Structure formats: structure tokens, C-alpha cells
Amino acid sequence: MAPEFVPSRNVSIKLYIFSYGVVLLEIVSGLRNRCLDPNAQEENLPNYGWKVWNEGKHINLVN
């Protein structure tokens, strides 16, 4: 579940789609979505995946 939805408990179909995408990205990449703090230095998995995709190195994301 996306961390921004936890305090408000605002659950919608978009939340389920986002969560499914993150789980699918974790399975394909073999990495975990570790960053729950938006102010942390560590990059979360969806942002990392998007960065790799934009660089054209998306094949490196697949393990």
C-alpha cells in the first residue's frame, strides 16, 4: 500500500492498481520497495523503475 494513503485511510481502485504494480515490479526486478519515508535519501522502487525506464535501460531492471 502506498504510504501516503495509510494516514487518511482513503482506499480507492487507484490504490489497488498502484499496489499491484509495485508488487509486480518487486517480483520482476527481485528488489524490494523499502523506502516508506518521502524525505529519505533512499529512492523507492517505483521511482527507481521509472528512472531506469526513462534512461532506456529497462532491461537491467529485470532479474
Side-chain angles (χ1 to χ4, degrees), residues 9-47:
R9 303 205 190 271
N10 184 12
V11 179
S12 69
I13 193 72
K14 291 178 185 178
L15 171 65
Y16 290 121
I17 292 170
F18 176 82
S19 298
Y20 177 75
V22 171
V23 169
L24 189 61
L25 193 55
E26 287 179 338
I27 292 170
V28 169
S29 69
L31 302 172
R32 294 200 49 175
N33 187 25
R34 295 188 183 121
C35 182
L36 296 177
D37 181 16
N39 298 325
Q41 299 287 351
E42 186 179 341
E43 191 171 31
N44 63 21
L45 187 57
N47 286 344

